[in-house]
């Protein structure tokens, strides 16, 4: 994609370059040997790179000289320099022949190979190169004899293996001709180069000297203006190129079908998802052009977003050290014919997407979310591909190399590409062997395409004069490209149709907005996500965090009107507007209904129009002013051209000044403005450029000087970048969490969702992996962090190998301490141990991979608020760090490391449940302690106690607790956050009365400790006669003084400060509340429940707390019924339940007497009595207050509470048992209470099993 090209250029090509063997300087080993010395100096022990390097040292004779690579030189380039695009000799030399020179003999294949490459400048603008590499016979005697000597030495070393070959071979060496252009017209450049090469190899010399054609392309062929097509002459035939208009998708001239053929739709979509989520992507192939095609295609399909990070589609061998860049990258690595992926050692793979292009294979990072509507999307892409005869599964036999690229078109097939009668128009090659045809036919059959025309196409391909077909072929390529790109672009227009609504415009002027850019949120992510269909969230929540999305929104903020918008943004916004006009903001925008692409037709028409009616024709090549005898050359050799005629263009540049219509030039200027090229002194340009560079300052490594200092400087930039990223990530996570915590405390609305929290933690794990893999010496396993932890564990366990020093991995042995502590601190805190936490993770059989283990360990450490502390401990082993990391690694930069740990420390300010909530199926040990009241010690207690622990995910069932210790440890599947404990005893023995203060339960892995206050008796004839109680819990914060303060844990709503005391009514009971306070209490309790149901499902805390916790609904209604309750005698307690039972007796007798006001009343009474009977007949030994709690919960569940309040207010029993001032006797207060309770009717309340056990309603 042309994200930017040099504004000065209006020529089709800036340079013509020839690279190859410099006979003057002779044979030199390739660049790698220079790197090799550096590698040796730093004791670089990395397998793959070491091997590569050693293989190329001059002194190494293991490889046959024909397999070795030698240094290539730029032999000539014309013109010398153009001011808008200075010639970068190193970069061009490296990328024209990335492997250096190679030699062949007449027995080897010597097909010319075409490939393209890209050079990214500091400012992000790009130049494209197109290179054709071919072989020429070596004529230099010195070179031949040098090769012969090397061959003898090689044989001498290998004589036992290889029989010596006779040295009568003809020696050939590679040479390359190349065009450097401001825009990527790949097809046109390929034709130009192939025709130039053909001119040199054909028996007949071309009509004009080569200089004429090269002069023509350099100085007389302009860039086509946007929306126009241009025709110019090659050596043997016309070349056509066309450029999209400002309202179309940007220029893209590589064959997308090639990528689908190589990988298949499924793999392409996975790769596309990785690219959108800015993972590290490594493409691997032995064909440079494939690397380039896949990289350019994937980035082109991202429209309107642009890849913001390191982008090197062809990584020269000498830059291999760049693979440990700890930033997202998209790089292409030449496989050098090495098919074995296992031999390739990569510095980091935790977040790597590895694409083995030649083998149709892709390795994905773990936890990759699915692209929204993936199946329908694949279906739509496949339909487009099949209409062109490209198999959606990909076609491994499709392409051998771009050089053999030929058309199989017959004119009659062009008429209708949709009739299903086409086999691949793009990636079919000359089929010389029948076997290949058979394989192709089998593949084609699978895709349901008919085969009638295959033979015709073979004939067509044998027709040498392929001009018409060639254009036809190219048109097909453009049509398929635009169709596939439109389908992809349409996905984004549908997904982000109303993105503008959520853009946060800066409140202050642009200048100050820009200086504080890091701290600003530019998009309302939470609101946007809350609008999206559930299945989209895992992908979208991660995508909104990427640099490419941030840059896209930045450029939106920076351009107010259409004039200022950069090209991609303008095109995208126009499409979004169109969609909105069609939908007029209907709800369809928010559903996950799949909407197919509708504007393919018009996009295709625009291209067909341009190609069928050529807008401009450039000057024809003509004879130049050359001396007689110049311009002659030998057949088969590409000559040294006449630099005097090629070094300067025409003195008056006709087409730029006179002959071109003025509108052309004006349009071109506008276009350059629109496509947002490099505008010199424009303030806005500086902003956007900087905004782009926020995430990373390095787009492409410097392709020249490889001195250690340059490598060190690059790594220093990485270290700074990592630190900055860490600062921004921690800040973002804290702001989200704190925002949420503030909400829990009642300030405003909730913002973070579980999906979002997971996304942020996943991106933190990814950052840690990148930091840990920067500057690694030796790589083991896919996760650098886990590998470091294992080394640490090994070294510590060797030191602690004395017997008995560490207990078994499951539990912490602190029992002695625990007993002596008594009740003050019920359980001593868990020992803090990094190794212990590792063991917990190693014991989880569900986690199979290293990357998974590292992530689980990070989540556990976050939940225990120990991440910073653990990592500090890990890095305090300096010996180990030195052994594992090179000097320049992030982890060995002390200041940065300190700051990094300090940033992580800030996570301790908030509570995460990122381990408990994610690993829901693992087994976890829990420790339970029952604390009896100190005043009335339970020493005489004779019954057998039991408990049953419930959490948000599961409950344990009844667990017997030993009477003498009152504590147990048990293992069960993750219960989630704990909500209730049911406890009781079997009422046996002489003294079965027991006053319990509280129950404490601790998760032995995460260390979360929950306290379940009780403060009531369990026993017959004491308190309310209850043998079991349901206790509601709260999370305790660990604190140094063991003061068990309550913790405001964001995810759990208002945790109750203390379990309500079931207030017994006696003269000396708590201060009475007045009616106003009681009403307020009921309002608050109902309000809590209403808010609970307005949150997204995954975000709701415990409903049990809202019903039965402190100030919950049960407590509020208890206050209502206690207000004005008559207490008959001093020493006899009367419970609300006694009143309700009397009312039940009255209602039942009234029903029998048939004193029934109306039908409605009867139904309500029946319900009330049925519930009362069911609770009284339940087999459980819960006391009177427990029964009241159960009645309120069931009433709330079945939406009957307001009916019952109305019944009881009118019941004669009420007037007997309540004073006249009681709330229940005040008609207006009762009515308002009924209205408040009615609001619960719209909610579907499901009760935790522990609350209604044993009641069969």
């Amino acid at each position: 994609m042309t994200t930017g090209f040099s504004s000065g250029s209006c020529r089709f090509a800036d340079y013509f370059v020839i690279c190859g063997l410099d006979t003057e300087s002779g044979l030199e080993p390739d660049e790698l040997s220079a790197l090799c010395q550096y590698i040796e100096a730093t004791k670089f022990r990395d397998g793959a790179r070491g091997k590569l390097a050693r293989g190329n040292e001059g002194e190494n004779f293991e490889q046959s000289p024909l397999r070795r690579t030698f240094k290539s030189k730029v032999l000539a380039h014309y013109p010398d320099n153009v001011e808008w695009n200075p010639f970068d000799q190193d970069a061009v030399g490296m990328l024209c022949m990335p492997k250096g020179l190679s030699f062949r003999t007449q027995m080897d294949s010597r097909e010319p190979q075409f490939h393209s490459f890209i050079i990214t400048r500091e400012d992000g603008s790009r130049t494209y190169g197109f290179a054709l590499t071919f072989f020429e016979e070596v004529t230099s005697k010195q070179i031949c004899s040098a090769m012969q000597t090397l061959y003898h030495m090689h044989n001498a070393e290998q004589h036992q293996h290889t029989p010596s070959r006779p040295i009568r071979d003809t020696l050939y060496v590679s040479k390359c001709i190349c065009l450097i252009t401001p825009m990527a017209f790949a097809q046109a450049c390929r034709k130009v180069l192939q025709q130039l090469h053909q001119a040199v190899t054909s028996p007949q010399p071309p009509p004009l000297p080569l200089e004429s054609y090269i002069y023509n392309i350099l100085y007389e062929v302009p860039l086509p203006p946007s929306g126009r097509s241009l025709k110019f002459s090659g050596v043997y035939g016309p070349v056509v190129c066309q450029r999209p208009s400002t309202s179309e998708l940007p220029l893209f001239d590589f064959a997308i079908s090639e990528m689908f053929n190589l990988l298949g739709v499924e793999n392409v979509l996975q790769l596309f998802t990785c690219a959108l989520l800015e993972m590290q992507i490594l493409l691997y192939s032995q064909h440079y052009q494939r690397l380039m095609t896949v990289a350019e295609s994937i980035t082109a399909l991202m429209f309107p977003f642009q890849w913001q990070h390191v982008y090197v589609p062809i990584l020269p061998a000498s830059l291999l050290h760049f693979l440990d860049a700890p930033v997202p990258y998209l790089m292409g690595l030449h496989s050098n014919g090495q098919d074995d992926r296992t031999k390739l050692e990569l510095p980091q793979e935790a977040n790597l997407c590895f694409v083995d292009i030649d083998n149709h294979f892709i390795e994905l990072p773990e936890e990759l979310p699915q692209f929204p509507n993936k199946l329908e999307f694949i279906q739509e892409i496949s339909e487009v591909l099949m209409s062109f005869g490209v198999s959606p599964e990909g076609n491994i036999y499709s392409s051998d190399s771009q050089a053999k690229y030929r058309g199989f078109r017959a004119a009659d097939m062009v008429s209708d590409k949709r009739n299903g009668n086409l086999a691949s128009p793009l990636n079919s090659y000359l089929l010389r062997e029948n076997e290949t045809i058979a394989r192709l036919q089998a593949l084609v059959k699978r895709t349901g395409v008919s085969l009638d025309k295959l033979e015709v196409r073979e004939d067509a391909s044998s027709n040498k004069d392929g001009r018409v077909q060639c254009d036809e072929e190219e048109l097909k390529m453009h049509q398929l490209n635009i169709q596939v790109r439109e389908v992809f672009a349409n996905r984004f227009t549908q997904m982000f149709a109303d993105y503008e609504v959520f853009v946060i415009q800066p409140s202050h002027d642009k200048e100050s907005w820009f200086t504080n850019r890091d701290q600003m949120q530019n998009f309302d992510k939470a609101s946007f996500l809350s609008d999206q269909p559930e299945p989209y969230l895992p992908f979208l929540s991660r995508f909104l965090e990427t640099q490419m999305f941030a840059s896209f929104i930045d450029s939106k903020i920076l351009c107010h009107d259409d004039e200022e918008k950069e090209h991609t943004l303008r095109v995208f916004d126009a499409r979004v507007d169109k969609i909105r006009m069609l939908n007029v903001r209907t709800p369809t925008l928010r559903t996950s209904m799949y909407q197919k692409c509708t504007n393919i037709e018009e996009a295709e028409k625009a291209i067909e129009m341009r190609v069928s009616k050529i807008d401009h024709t450039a000057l024809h090549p003509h004879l130049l002013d050359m001396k007689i005898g110049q311009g002659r050359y030998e057949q088969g050799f590409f000559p040294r051209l006449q630099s005097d005629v090629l070094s300067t263009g025409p003195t008056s540049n006709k087409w730029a000044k006179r002959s071109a219509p003025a509108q052309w030039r004006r349009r071109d200027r506008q276009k350059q403005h629109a496509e947002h090229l490099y505008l010199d002194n424009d303030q806005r340009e500086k902003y956007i450029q900087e905004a782009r560079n926020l995430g990373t300052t390095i787009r492409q490594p410097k392709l020249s000087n490889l001195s250690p200092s340059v490598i060190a400087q690059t790594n220093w930039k990485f270290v700074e970048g990592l630190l900055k990223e860490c600062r921004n990530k921690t800040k973002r996570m804290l702001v989200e969490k704190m925002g949420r915590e503030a909400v829990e405390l009642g300030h405003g609305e909730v913002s973070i969702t579980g999906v979002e929290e997971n996304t942020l933690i996943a991106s933190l794990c990814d950052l840690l992996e990148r930091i840990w893999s920067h500057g690694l010496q030796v790589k083991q396993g896919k996760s650098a962090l886990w590998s470091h932890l294992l080394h640490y564990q090994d070294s510590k366990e060797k030191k602690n190998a004395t017997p008995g020093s560490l207990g078994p991995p499951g539990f912490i042995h602190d029992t002695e301490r625990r007993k002596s502590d008594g009740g003050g601190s019920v359980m001593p805190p868990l020992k803090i141990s990094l190794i212990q936490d590792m063991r917990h993770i190693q014991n989880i059989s569900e986690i199979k991979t290293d990357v998974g283990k590292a992530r689980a360990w990070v989540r556990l450490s976050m939940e225990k608020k120990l991440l910073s502390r653990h990592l500090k401990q890990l890095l305090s082993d300096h010996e180990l760090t030195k052994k594992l990391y090179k000097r320049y690694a992030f982890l060995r930069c002390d200041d940065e490391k300190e700051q990094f740990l300090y940033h992580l420390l800030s996570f301790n300010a908030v509570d995460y449940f990122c381990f408990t909530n994610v690993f829901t199926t693992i087994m976890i040990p829990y420790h339970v302690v029952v604390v009896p009241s100190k005043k009335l010690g339970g020493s005489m207690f004779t019954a057998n106690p039991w408990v049953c622990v419930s959490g948000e995910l599961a409950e344990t069932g009844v667990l017997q607790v030993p009477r003498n210790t009152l504590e147990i440890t048990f293992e069960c599947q993750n219960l989630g956050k704990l909500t209730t404990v049911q406890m009781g005893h079997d009422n046996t023995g002489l003294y079965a009365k027991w006053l319990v203060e509280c129950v404490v339960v601790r998760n032995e892995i995460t260390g979360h400790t929950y306290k379940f206050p009780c403060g009531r008796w369990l026993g017959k004839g004491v308190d309310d006669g209850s043998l079991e109680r349901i206790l509601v819990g709260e999370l305790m914060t660990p604190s140094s003084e063991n003061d068990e303060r309550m913790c405001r844990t964001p995810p759990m709503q208002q945790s109750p400060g203390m379990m309500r005391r079931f207030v017994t009514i006696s003269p000396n009971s708590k201060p009475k509340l007045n009616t106003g306070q009681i009403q307020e209490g009921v309002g608050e309790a109902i309000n809590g429940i209403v808010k609970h149901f307005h949150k997204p499902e995954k975000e709701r805390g415990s409903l049990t707390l809202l019903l039965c916790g402190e100030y919950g609904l049960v407590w509020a209604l208890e206050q209502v019924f206690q207000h004005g309750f008559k207490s008959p005698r001093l020493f006899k307690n009367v419970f609300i339940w006694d009143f309700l039972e009397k009312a039940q007796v009255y209602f039942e007798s009234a029903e029998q007497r048939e004193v029934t006001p109306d039908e409605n009343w009867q139904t309500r009474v029946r319900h009330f009595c049925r519930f009362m009977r069911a609770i009284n007949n339940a087999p459980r030994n819960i006391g009177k207050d427990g029964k009241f709690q159960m009645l309120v919960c069931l009433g709330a569940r079945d939406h009957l509470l307001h009916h019952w309040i109305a019944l009881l207010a009118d019941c004669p029993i009420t007037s007997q048992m309540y004073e006249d001032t009681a709330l229940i006797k005040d008609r207006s207060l009762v009515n308002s209470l009924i209205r408040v309770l009615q609001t619960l009717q719209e909610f579907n309340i499901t009760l935790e099993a522990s609350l209604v056990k044993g009641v069969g309603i």
Side-chain angles (χ1 to χ4, degrees), residues 14 57 81 275 612 770 812 915 970 1215 1219:
D14 287 339
E57 274 181 88
N81 209 19
S612 56
R770 292 210 311 266
I812 312 299
F915 180 82
F970 61 90
S1215 47
E1219 291 159 9

Side-chain angles (χ1 to χ4, degrees), residues 855-868:
R855 287 186 175 173
W857 182 84
V858 170
R859 284 173 179 278
L860 178 58
S861 307
M862 292 267 294
E863 189 161 322
K864 295 177 86 162
K865 303 190 176 186
L866 293 173
L867 184 61
S868 182

Side-chain angles (χ1 to χ4, degrees), residues 802-1017:
T802 47
S805 64
L806 281 173
F811 311 118
I812 312 299
H813 290 264
D814 274 337
T815 29
E816 308 78 74
R817 225 183 337 163
R818 192 176 293 134
K819 289 227 179 79
S820 61
D821 269 8
S825 78
V826 184
M827 294 183 195
L830 279 176
K831 272 204 310 236
I832 291 177
S833 155
L834 185 157
I835 306 275
Q836 188 60 52
D837 285 349
M838 283 184 68
R839 288 214 195 115
H840 287 313
I841 302 298
Q842 285 158 330
N843 292 338
I844 299 175
S845 55
E846 287 89 336
I847 306 176
K848 306 278 191 278
T849 63
D850 285 357
V851 176
K853 285 175 184 162
R855 287 186 175 173
W857 182 84
V858 170
R859 284 173 179 278
L860 178 58
S861 307
M862 292 267 294
E863 189 161 322
K864 295 177 86 162
K865 303 190 176 186
L866 293 173
L867 184 61
S868 182
R869 185 165 173 172
H870 277 349
L871 293 177
K872 188 173 188 168
Q873 192 182 335
L874 175 67
L875 296 171
S876 63
D877 187 337
H878 296 301
E879 285 310 301
L880 181 62
T881 315
K882 267 188 187 156
K883 192 175 100 186
L884 296 178
Y885 288 92
K886 300 183 195 124
R887 182 65 202 93
Y888 64 73
F890 182 93
L891 297 177
R892 289 184 62 186
C893 301
D894 293 338
D895 291 354
E896 281 65 29
K897 187 175 72 185
E898 283 306 309
Q899 287 183 52
F900 156 71
L901 292 170
Y902 174 72
H903 288 313
L904 293 184
L905 192 59
S906 55
F907 286 136
N908 294 3
V910 290
D911 294 308
Y912 279 99
F913 283 87
C914 49
F915 180 82
T916 309
N917 291 343
V918 168
F919 299 101
T920 51
T921 57
I922 62 175
M923 298 301 286
I924 289 185
Y926 290 92
H927 187 84
V928 180
V929 178
V930 181
V931 184
S933 164
K934 289 195 215 82
K935 299 185 195 85
L936 302 156
S939 49
M940 300 146 56
F941 176 58
T942 56
N944 299 302
W946 56 266
V947 295
C948 166
V949 184
S950 309
E952 289 182 355
L953 299 172
E955 74 167 34
T956 58
V958 172
L959 302 161
Q960 297 299 328
V961 182
R963 196 169 53 220
N964 51 354
T965 60
L966 291 183
E967 55 181 279
I968 51 167
T969 299
F970 61 90
E971 203 176 38
C972 69
Q973 193 169 329
N974 186 352
L975 300 172
K977 292 174 208 155
L978 303 187
T979 49
T980 60
V981 163
Q982 302 155 62
M983 68 165 306
H985 60 75
D986 60 359
N987 201 27
T988 54
L990 295 173
Y991 189 77
K993 297 187 177 68
W994 194 28
L995 179 58
V996 176
E997 177 128 334
C998 65
V999 177
V1000 180
V1001 184
R1002 178 171 68 200
N1003 175 325
E1004 294 288 270
I1005 291 184
T1006 65
H1008 284 318
T1009 308
Y1010 294 83
K1011 184 178 180 185
F1012 297 85
C1014 175
R1016 303 286 299 267
W1017 283 92

Side-chain angles (χ1 to χ4, degrees), residues 42 119 271 334 423 531 576 585 844 863 1032 1087 1100 1130 1208:
T42 53
I119 297 175
L271 169 58
H334 188 261
D531 258 12
V576 165
R585 198 73 184 92
I844 299 175
E863 189 161 322
V1032 181
N1087 201 9
R1100 298 173 184 172
L1130 272 180
L1208 293 167

Side-chain angles (χ1 to χ4, degrees), residues 596-658:
K596 280 184 141 185
C597 182
T598 50
N599 51 348
I600 287 182
E601 297 292 319
E602 65 184 281
E604 252 185 312
K605 275 208 186 72
I607 292 180
E608 282 161 20
M609 286 276 297
R610 281 197 291 274
V611 178
S612 56
K613 184 184 142 295
I614 302 294
D615 296 311
H616 304 288
T617 307
L619 281 178
H620 281 286
H622 49 86
L623 272 172
L624 299 173
D625 184 10
M626 288 164 72
K627 300 189 181 70
I628 293 172
Q630 282 187 335
R632 286 205 195 138
Y633 53 88
E634 245 180 293
Q635 186 202 334
F637 292 95
F638 202 91
R640 278 273 169 115
L641 301 168
Q642 302 302 316
S643 53
D644 51 347
V645 289
L646 289 180
S647 56
T648 51
T651 43
S652 73
N653 199 338
K654 291 195 190 96
W655 53 259
K657 298 225 170 60
R658 277 195 292 278

